[in-house]
Amino acid sequence: MPDAASTRTLGLARGDASFAPEIRAMEATESLHDAIAFERVRALFANIPIGVIAEFLAIATIAGVMFGTVGRPRLVVWGGYMAACGIIRLALWMQARAPEGLQPRPERWERWYGVAMAAAGVGWGATVPAFLPIDNLLIEGIVALVICAIAVIAIDVLMASRRAAVWFITPALAIPALALAGYGGAVRLGTSLLLFAFLGVLFVVSGRRHKAYVGAIATPLQNAVLLREIEAANNSLREAQEDEQLVFDSALVGIAVFKDHRITRCNRKLEEIFGVRRGTLVGASTRLLYRHESEWREATARIDEALDATGQYDIEREFQRRDGIAIWCRARGQVIDPRNPSRGVIWMFEDLTEARRAAEAIRRQEEALADAHAEVQAANLRLTDAIGILPDAFALYNSDDRLVMCNQSFVDAVPGEHKMADLVGRTYEEIVRIAVESVATVPPEFRRDRPAWVAELMRRHKHLTGDDFVYQTGDRRWYQLRERRTSDGGVVAVRTDITDLKASEERIRHLAHHDPLTGLPNRRLLEDRMSQAFNLARRNGQHVGVMLVDLDRFKVINDTKGHRVGDVVLQEVARRLRTTIRQADTVARQGGDEFVVVLPELRRMSDASQVAAKILSALSRPIAVDGEKFQINASIGIALFPTDGGDPDSLLKQADMAMYKAKGAGRGRFEFATGVPRQDELRFE
């Protein structure tokens, strides 16, 4: 029997169709213990015909041996009783032969069968006192051997249920042993002792056989559970990769992953910068980005040395497009995992070609001014024309730190009514002080101390490091200030409005952590909020409530009215959930029509109950879409930290089980997970 059970349950782990009942049992109960119980009881009932047939053969054997030795009435009564016990077990087998017949509580069927086996055991045990005394000791011995044989067979047939086996063999062997001891005589007393000893052996054997059987079926069922969890994890990983790819491809800079000097991954922006077809760069050597072999080898050696030392690299240099045109890019590299450099380096490429061209134009104009004083005015005009087309604010200061040239964008950036001639000739500090007179040009953190903001700008201006300065002004706009020292000691400054770029980056970050339909936190941000709430609860000795809210009858709306109406309903549900909970609470979308509410700092169970009741009340009101009203409701499962689990996954699993309990109890209600204390006051264990 254990070998057969192992074969069957190994098939269950592979998902064979013949093991659908056990799989359905596991899905219905979400409990490995219940699945094992179902398989044990199923095997127990499957062996009923074999046990009854063996018992009928034993009854016939006893009747044949005893015929003519004892009176017929006693023999008929005993045989009728034993046959009735067998027929009762066959009746149980007929009722439970369908796989669904053992649901939902297989242990109850096991108890009924154990009672039937106990009755049969009493019948077999009553054989000796019912027919004794018998003058022929050989016949008494045969009867005892038949009973022992039946007990041995029962150990095999009933190995799936220790309870049924013990309930059968105890009366079957203990009653005749006591009867033989009571009648006296050396032989009968010896037989009584042997029966008691044999009963003890069967107790041990039945326990070991049952334990081996349970072990044979538990391992494959555990494998089946692990396979389901692995599949769910793979699905989550695939969704996360798709979200990551969306953010990756939406970036406004070129992004790539280099490994062993090969491009293993890149976004479309990088392909556009280097002028290649989609998918061409992936798998290619980084040599493709450089003009010459020697240039590539020199650059890779310098980059590898820097990455080994600091884990990052930042440079502006000339690269080559696929069509041979030289381009300037700012390349910033960062080792993905310093503990595991084999994972590669992530690079960001910013195309600076146009900015470099403008800067090159400025440099050429400066050289022209130095070459011939006679061409100063003409050179200034050309330079003014060149910077005038730039959308960014441009300014050139001489070695005395006075403004010698700027474009109209720079003039417009200075608050107040100014002309270019009013600003040219002023020092950098004077222009800064004019600018900070307007609150809109001062960052919020310096609004109460404007001199400190002037001092910060002067410090950066005088001690240029080559780094760009990014800041936000009081009107909530973002700027990037680039200042570079010129060859004659002056400073060229370019201020770029990067508000739109910052907004795009913020939208990308928001999409990475929020549900695009409802704007609620997604699973990634939810787990972070839950971990923070758990850490705070541990420090303060408090509890955290986790609610899983599942909409009832939402699928009907989606199927009959379409996904557009369903999306509007989900957005309204999200709005109602946000307005129902506290500001410190978190509501997130789990996926589909499931939402999760996190309640930190709980002191009483009634607090969670009140919130759940408010949510059910809010969601019970009809939702109007396109002039039509839809009535939905929700089922809520509530789990408590740390009572029901110590991490987000276990709490969500417990809340999910409680939610299904609420659905099974009639929907439109809430249920707590197991392990919730009975008293209203919660205690932190």
Side-chain angles (χ1 to χ4, degrees):
M1 285 296 292
D3 294 336
S6 300
T7 303
R8 176 176 178 81
T9 49
L10 285 173
L12 170 62
R14 294 193 299 268
D16 293 347
S18 60
F19 304 102
E22 289 84 347
I23 296 176
R24 286 200 297 272
M26 291 175 64
E27 293 174 346
T29 62
E30 293 295 337
S31 169
L32 180 61
H33 171 75
D34 291 344
I36 294 173
F38 174 83
E39 168 62 11
R40 288 195 305 100
V41 176
R42 185 206 59 77
L44 182 66
F45 273 76
N47 289 332
I48 286 178
I50 298 175
V52 172
I53 291 173
E55 192 171 58
F56 281 176
L57 291 175
I59 292 171
T61 301
I62 293 295
V65 171
M66 303 301 297
F67 187 77
T69 304
V70 298
R72 288 188 180 181
R74 283 192 292 172
L75 193 59
V76 171
V77 171
W78 175 82
Y81 175 82
M82 297 304 297
C85 290
I87 292 172
I88 290 173
R89 298 206 302 278
L90 287 175
L92 288 175
W93 173 69
M94 292 296 292
Q95 292 180 14
R97 62 184 304 179
E100 292 78 3
L102 298 176
Q103 296 295 346
R105 296 176 60 186
E107 292 87 351
R108 183 169 56 185
W109 288 88
E110 182 182 4
R111 285 197 297 272
W112 290 347
Y113 187 58
V115 171
M117 290 306 301
V122 170
W124 282 108
T127 303
V128 173
F131 297 149
L132 285 179
I134 303 173
D135 295 334
N136 192 331
L137 293 178
L138 176 61
I139 295 178
E140 289 185 9
I142 292 174
V143 172
L145 287 175
V146 171
I147 295 174
C148 291
I150 286 296
V152 171
I153 294 173
I155 295 301
D156 271 340
V157 174
L158 303 176
M159 74 170 65
S161 173
R162 179 84 189 282
R163 175 189 299 165
V166 170
W167 287 7
F168 176 78
I169 65 175
T170 299
L173 294 177
I175 293 175
L178 292 173
L180 289 172
Y183 276 102
V187 175
R188 286 174 177 160
L189 183 59
T191 304
S192 173
L193 294 176
L194 288 175
L195 287 176
F196 275 121
F198 189 61
L199 177 60
V201 171
L202 291 185
F203 272 138
V204 176
V205 172
S206 65
R208 292 181 178 178
R209 296 297 299 275
H210 178 73
K211 183 178 180 180
Y213 180 83
V214 172
I217 66 174
T219 299
L221 288 173
Q222 290 171 346
N223 292 340
V225 173
L226 290 176
L227 288 175
R228 289 198 305 166
E229 293 176 352
I230 291 172
E231 182 180 359
N234 288 336
N235 292 336
S236 299
L237 177 61
R238 183 168 57 254
E239 292 174 0
Q241 289 174 340
E242 292 174 354
D243 294 342
E244 178 187 354
Q245 187 63 41
L246 176 62
V247 176
F248 195 62
D249 290 334
S250 301
L252 299 180
V253 297
I255 304 176
V257 176
F258 291 180
K259 187 182 296 184
D260 297 331
H261 303 144
R262 287 196 171 274
I263 304 171
T264 60
R265 190 179 179 189
C266 71
N267 64 352
R268 181 57 187 157
K269 184 64 178 178
L270 185 70
E271 296 171 334
E272 293 174 356
I273 292 176
F274 286 93
V276 298
R277 297 191 307 275
R278 184 182 295 272
T280 304
L281 287 178
V282 175
S285 170
T286 55
R287 166 67 181 86
L288 185 68
L289 310 180
Y290 295 84
R291 292 178 299 178
H292 307 294
E293 178 80 15
S294 59
E295 182 181 356
W296 171 65
R297 293 187 179 277
E298 179 184 354
T300 52
R302 187 166 56 253
I303 291 171
D304 290 345
E305 182 180 355
L307 292 177
D308 291 339
T310 65
Q312 57 186 5
Y313 190 75
D314 193 337
I315 192 175
E316 290 184 13
R317 65 161 297 141
E318 193 176 42
F319 292 89
Q320 177 179 265
R321 284 171 51 92
R322 184 64 172 172
D323 53 13
I325 298 176
I327 58 173
W328 277 89
C329 292
R330 181 180 183 183
R332 286 170 288 181
Q334 177 76 41
V335 175
I336 296 176
D337 186 356
R339 295 171 299 181
N340 185 15
S342 63
R343 292 186 59 187
V345 183
I346 186 167
W347 286 88
M348 288 187 290
F349 289 83
E350 182 182 359
D351 190 352
L352 303 178
T353 304
E354 294 299 326
R356 296 282 300 194
R357 287 174 181 171
E360 181 66 17
I362 295 173
R363 187 185 63 81
R364 290 176 180 175
Q365 294 299 330
E366 290 177 345
E367 290 178 353
L369 288 173
D371 290 342
H373 181 72
E375 297 183 0
V376 169
Q377 294 300 325
N380 284 338
L381 289 176
R382 290 193 298 270
L383 184 57
T384 301
D385 292 340
I387 66 174
I389 64 174
L390 295 176
D392 304 328
F394 173 86
L396 178 63
Y397 299 88
N398 61 17
S399 57
D400 295 329
D401 213 18
R402 293 187 178 275
L403 180 67
V404 295
M405 186 175 296
C406 66
N407 61 1
Q408 189 59 40
S409 297
F410 179 85
V411 176
D412 296 338
V414 179
E417 298 292 334
H418 301 285
K419 294 181 180 179
M420 190 176 298
D422 298 331
L423 299 178
V424 172
R426 291 180 179 269
T427 65
Y428 179 85
E429 184 175 0
E430 290 174 340
I431 296 174
V432 169
R433 292 189 179 278
I434 294 173
V436 299
E437 291 178 359
S438 171
V439 176
T441 63
V442 180
E445 60 268 26
F446 290 93
R447 188 170 297 172
R448 296 181 181 273
D449 191 1
R450 297 186 187 181
W453 174 237
V454 175
E456 175 65 14
L457 291 177
M458 291 301 301
R459 183 187 66 80
R460 289 180 173 274
H461 180 74
K462 291 181 179 180
H463 305 284
L464 298 180
T465 62
D467 297 330
D468 297 340
F469 180 37
V470 177
Y471 62 94
Q472 186 183 30
T473 57
D475 57 356
R476 303 187 64 83
R477 300 198 66 81
W478 285 91
Y479 292 95
Q480 180 184 48
L481 179 62
R482 295 179 177 177
E483 293 183 310
R484 301 291 187 271
R485 187 74 63 184
T486 62
S487 58
D488 61 350
V491 174
V492 57
V494 178
R495 194 182 79 158
T496 305
D497 188 340
I498 60 171
T499 304
D500 293 339
L501 178 61
K502 280 286 186 179
S504 298
E505 292 176 350
E506 183 60 29
R507 284 194 296 271
I508 292 172
R509 283 193 293 269
H510 186 272
L511 287 174
H513 295 89
H514 291 79
D515 173 51
L517 176 63
T518 62
L520 296 176
N522 59 14
R523 179 64 180 265
R524 185 182 305 171
L525 182 55
L526 170 65
E527 292 182 352
D528 181 69
R529 295 269 181 91
M530 291 176 69
S531 298
Q532 293 179 18
F534 295 168
N535 292 335
L536 181 62
R538 290 189 184 98
R539 290 196 298 269
N540 299 335
Q542 296 174 332
H543 285 69
V544 179
V546 178
M547 295 184 177
L548 185 63
V549 182
D550 185 89
L551 301 183
D552 299 329
R553 297 185 297 276
F554 176 76
K555 187 176 186 300
V556 176
I557 298 176
N558 246 5
D559 293 343
T560 58
K561 301 299 180 180
H563 289 283
R564 186 189 67 80
V565 174
D567 290 347
V568 175
V569 171
L570 288 176
Q571 290 169 344
E572 175 61 17
V573 169
R575 186 194 68 79
R576 293 186 184 183
L577 289 174
R578 280 196 298 262
T579 57
T580 302
I581 64 175
R582 302 172 302 177
Q583 186 175 2
D585 301 335
T586 296
V587 58
R589 186 183 180 198
Q590 177 85 342
D593 59 346
E594 285 189 350
F595 298 84
V596 176
V597 178
V598 180
L599 308 174
E601 302 179 359
L602 282 183
R603 296 183 181 274
R604 292 175 297 274
M605 287 172 54
S606 58
D607 294 341
S609 301
Q610 290 174 5
V611 175
K614 289 173 63 178
I615 290 175
L616 291 177
S617 176
L619 297 183
S620 65
R621 300 194 303 271
I623 298 177
V625 181
D626 297 337
E628 186 175 359
K629 292 185 177 181
F630 299 93
Q631 183 69 49
I632 65 170
N633 214 324
S635 298
I636 302 177
I638 307 173
L640 298 178
F641 171 88
T643 306
D644 299 315
D647 58 271
D649 285 340
S650 60
L651 264 294
L652 288 173
K653 184 179 295 183
Q654 290 293 329
D656 184 70
M657 294 172 63
M659 181 271 293
Y660 275 108
K661 188 180 358 176
K663 282 187 176 293
R667 304 177 184 269
R669 57 183 292 157
F670 63 88
E671 292 284 348
F672 282 86
T674 58
V676 177
R678 294 182 179 275
Q679 62 272 24
D680 185 61
E681 188 70 23
L682 292 172
R683 295 182 179 178
F684 193 91
E685 297 297 337

